[in-house]
Every structure is written in C-alpha cells, then in structure tokens.
Amino acid sequence: MRHSFLTPIAGCVLLAASAGALADTSAGLFADYAKVKAEGKTAHIVDIDNDTLLLNNNDGFYTSGMRYTQSYTLDDGAHATTFGWRIGQELYTASDIKLLPELIGPPDHPYAGWLYGGFFKESGRAGEGYARLGIDIGCLGPCAGGEWTQTNFHRLIDQPLPRGWSKQVKNEIGVVLYADYAPLRWTPAPSVDITPRLNARFGNIFTDAGAGVTVRAGQLNLLPNRPTFHGFVRADVHAVGYNATLQGGYFSSDNPHTVEPKRWVGEAEAGVVWQRGAFGARVGLVRRSNEIRGLSNSIGAQDFLRLQFSYTP
C-alpha cells in the first residue's frame, strides 16, 4: 500500500511547526529577506557524506551526499534570523556496487539519485532554541545524474566502478517541505550544552517525523567568527512514512525493483567542530540503522563519514 498512516501525521507536524513562519505576508517575507541579506553575515557551507572515505569498497546503501548552502544571518544579540538557499545531490546504491544488474533485487537497496535545490528561513534567540522551515524541489531517478557523479568520482579516486545504475528507480519530480524545531538549549555547565530537537519532512520523496538530542562539550561559542573547538554526540530516531529512494517515486510505476522501508530508523553521530576566524570545519562518524524491511540488521546498518566546511567572511 503506497499511502502510509504517517503521511497525515507528518503533515500535521509540519503545519504546526510552520504556522508562525507563514503568518507573514509574502511582501513582508521578501522585505525581511532583503534586510537580512543587506545587513547580515553571509556564510558558505559545503557538506559531504561518503562511505568511501572509510575505505569501504562495497560502497552501498546511502553512499554519498553533497550539498552547498549559502545563508544570510542577522543577529542583534537577542534574536537571530537566517535566510538561505541550498543545492544538493544524494546517491543510493545496492549493498555492493560491484554486483551486476541482474543480481540486484529485493531486499537489496534500489539504485537511486536525488538532485534538489531549495530555500529556508530560520529564527531563534541567542543561546536558546530555533525553528527552521524550508522547501526542496528536485528530481529522483536518471534525471538526478547519480550514475555520472559516482562513476567519475570513483575513476578519480581509483575505486571500483558501479555496475547497477541501469536498474535505478524511474524519474519523478519531487517536492519536500521540511521543518526543524529546537525548543531550548540547556547548559548544565559552562562548557556543556544539550539541545533536543523535533523534525519532519512531508512530500512525494520523503515523508517522516523524528526527534533527537545533541550534546556538546568543550570550547563553545554561539557567535560567528569566534574561536570554537568542541566534541559532540548526536542521537536521532525517525518514524518513516514514505521513502522514494526505496519505494520508487510516489507517482511512478514500473520501477525495476522496490522494497518496503522499516518504519523506525535510528542514527547516531560523534565528532568534533573547529572554528577559527572566518573558517570552520566539522567531522563526524555516522552510524545509521537498517532502513529496509526484510533485510537483516547485520547487513543493512551502515557507517559513513560526514564532513562540513564553512566560510563566513
């Protein structure tokens, strides 16, 4: 059954989280954007997720994610507003990219690429919580260019070439609304903080809702261009309503093969964050639980490295 009971639930979460942000008129929103862009600080952020960086020659499941974000933040010391846009690409493959197409089928992960771009607004108070609302629009399937990206990247780093992209999911245009909400930031000690979060996505590519918590310890600083060096651990759990990288596009048919998602997926990350002047970096090791119903946890769970580089002139 393609429609999930979680679809209306995730939609309600998003509507509740976005009610305040949508209260402004369109004219007021554009005026706010123009003011923040003109008076605020600009940040350039590059995010990279990849399991090949862990020297994993199988290179399976969620194998790569790349994203560039440009944001503008105006912070008056009591309240911060951020507007931004982003473009990205995510690649998903079978458990072993060396498998021939005729050997790929359930319960293995379908080949899939998701290419997207979008906009977001974030509001928060210094040292407290934040709320972010955004939208991504893109395409799933061959139009996402996943085969070209992975093949050429593996040639560059002299890794085995993928062999199964001829069996990727069909093309579909996708729209995904998303919201993230952190109600507070608790500081039990000067060098420690704890931030709980709620998040949800709603669309024909991803529909899910989740909760998580991040604990940081070390030299913490919330202000731009100030020295920061700290470690962190993060844990999240998501209730999955729909995942088109597993099930094919919501409106597509005749996919080479699809699989059913597990309804509960967990993720944990540990890493370090460094910032000095205008430059910043973040390195994390991510462990994601099995996402596929019918696949054993020993095979389906995966590890990948998450890198982030930022420049805030």
Side-chain angles (χ1 to χ4, degrees):
M1 185 174 181
R2 298 182 70 81
H3 297 274
S4 167
F5 73 97
L6 282 170
T7 300
I9 295 176
C12 290
V13 172
L14 278 170
L15 288 174
S18 62
L22 294 178
D24 294 333
T25 63
S26 297
L29 191 64
F30 282 114
D32 288 345
Y33 167 77
K35 176 180 175 64
V36 171
K37 183 178 180 181
E39 302 178 15
K41 277 190 167 293
T42 302
H44 306 271
I45 303 169
V46 176
D47 292 281
I48 301 171
D49 295 343
N50 202 287
D51 58 357
T52 300
L53 298 174
L54 297 175
L55 304 179
N56 179 4
N57 290 331
N58 293 337
D59 210 21
F61 304 121
Y62 174 50
T63 181
S64 176
M66 297 175 289
R67 183 171 66 243
Y68 169 75
T69 302
Q70 184 169 311
S71 64
Y72 313 99
T73 300
L74 184 60
D75 190 342
D76 62 8
H79 185 269
T81 300
T82 298
F83 286 92
W85 60 270
R86 65 184 192 176
I87 54 174
Q89 184 187 49
E90 297 176 2
L91 308 182
Y92 302 83
T93 69
S95 56
D96 188 342
I97 62 169
K98 299 186 293 296
L99 289 172
L100 295 172
E102 58 267 26
L103 300 178
I104 301 172
D108 212 338
H109 202 303
Y111 274 71
W114 166 236
L115 180 68
Y116 62 92
F119 301 89
F120 63 89
K121 178 185 179 182
E122 181 178 308
S123 299
R125 291 186 177 278
E128 297 182 15
Y130 65 87
R132 174 182 287 199
L133 176 68
I135 183 172
D136 288 328
I137 301 173
C139 67
L140 178 79
C143 58
E147 179 178 10
W148 184 92
T149 299
Q150 189 176 46
T151 299
N152 284 281
F153 179 66
H154 278 227
R155 284 182 178 143
L156 179 66
I157 63 176
D158 194 26
Q159 289 285 318
L161 300 182
R163 307 176 75 177
W165 279 102
S166 62
K167 291 189 69 175
Q168 66 180 302
V169 300
K170 298 295 185 180
N171 281 330
E172 179 162 326
I173 300 300
V175 178
V176 180
L177 293 168
Y178 64 93
D180 297 289
Y181 175 57
L184 57 89
R185 170 180 168 264
W186 180 44
T187 53
S191 58
V192 177
D193 67 8
I194 301 172
T195 305
R197 301 177 314 282
L198 298 173
N199 51 70
R201 296 183 292 183
F202 180 69
N204 62 313
I205 305 299
F206 302 107
T207 292
D208 51 45
V213 62
T214 299
V215 180
R216 306 188 304 170
Q219 184 184 20
L220 306 176
N221 204 313
L222 301 178
L223 300 176
N225 304 100
R226 296 292 181 90
T228 298
F229 185 72
H230 62 265
F232 70 91
V233 291
R234 173 183 63 84
D236 293 274
V237 62
H238 290 88
V240 179
Y242 201 82
N243 185 338
T245 70
L246 297 173
Q247 299 171 269
Y250 199 82
F251 302 105
S252 69
S253 59
D254 300 322
N255 284 286
H257 92 266
T258 60
V259 294
E260 286 297 310
K262 292 192 72 173
R263 294 306 175 191
W264 294 96
V265 176
E267 186 173 291
E269 181 183 9
V272 295
V273 174
W274 170 88
Q275 182 172 309
R276 184 72 60 176
F279 298 94
R282 179 183 184 275
V283 180
L285 177 62
V286 180
R287 174 74 170 182
R288 180 176 293 173
S289 70
N290 175 33
E291 297 182 277
I292 302 173
R293 185 186 300 177
L295 192 66
S296 69
N297 290 329
S298 61
I299 297 175
Q302 63 180 128
D303 301 311
F304 57 90
L305 203 62
R306 174 164 290 165
L307 308 176
Q308 183 182 92
F309 304 98
S310 63
Y311 174 60
T312 309

